[in-house]
Amino acid sequence: MISEALEAVEIVIWGAVISFGILAALTAFLIIALGYWTGVFAIWAGRRIAGRIHPQPPADLEADDDQLFDACEAAWNADTRKEKP
């Protein structure tokens, strides 16, 4: 009779420990997730506000592509072997 009561108490205690562990893990996950998304929102909002205050002119992408192509072509055609005297 007493051993059955002790087993029941032990089961209740282990259930409470496991439940507390699960709740602690979920709480930690929520805190980390909320912190992450708060940071993402802050960066997004900061960029939007900065873009309204100081807008950047659109980049000339075609000129950038031409410069990149020229640089790649020059590197490809460069003679890296130097003859020794």
Side-chain angles (χ1 to χ4, degrees):
M1 181 84 137
I2 293 177
S3 65
E4 292 175 358
L6 289 175
E7 287 179 17
V9 169
E10 184 180 0
I11 290 172
V12 169
I13 290 172
W14 275 112
V17 168
I18 291 170
S19 297
F20 178 76
I22 291 171
L23 287 175
L26 288 174
T27 302
F29 173 77
L30 285 175
I31 290 170
I32 290 169
L34 287 174
Y36 171 78
W37 286 113
T38 301
V40 168
F41 175 73
I43 291 171
W44 175 80
R47 288 183 177 178
R48 295 282 297 188
I49 292 169
R52 297 279 173 120
I53 293 172
H54 185 66
Q56 297 291 329
D60 187 8
L61 297 178
E62 190 173 322
D64 290 343
D65 287 344
D66 290 341
Q67 289 175 355
L68 181 61
F69 179 76
D70 291 341
C72 290
E73 188 176 21
W76 181 263
N77 292 331
D79 186 16
T80 57
R81 294 177 287 151
K82 301 290 179 186
E83 293 185 18
K84 294 182 182 178

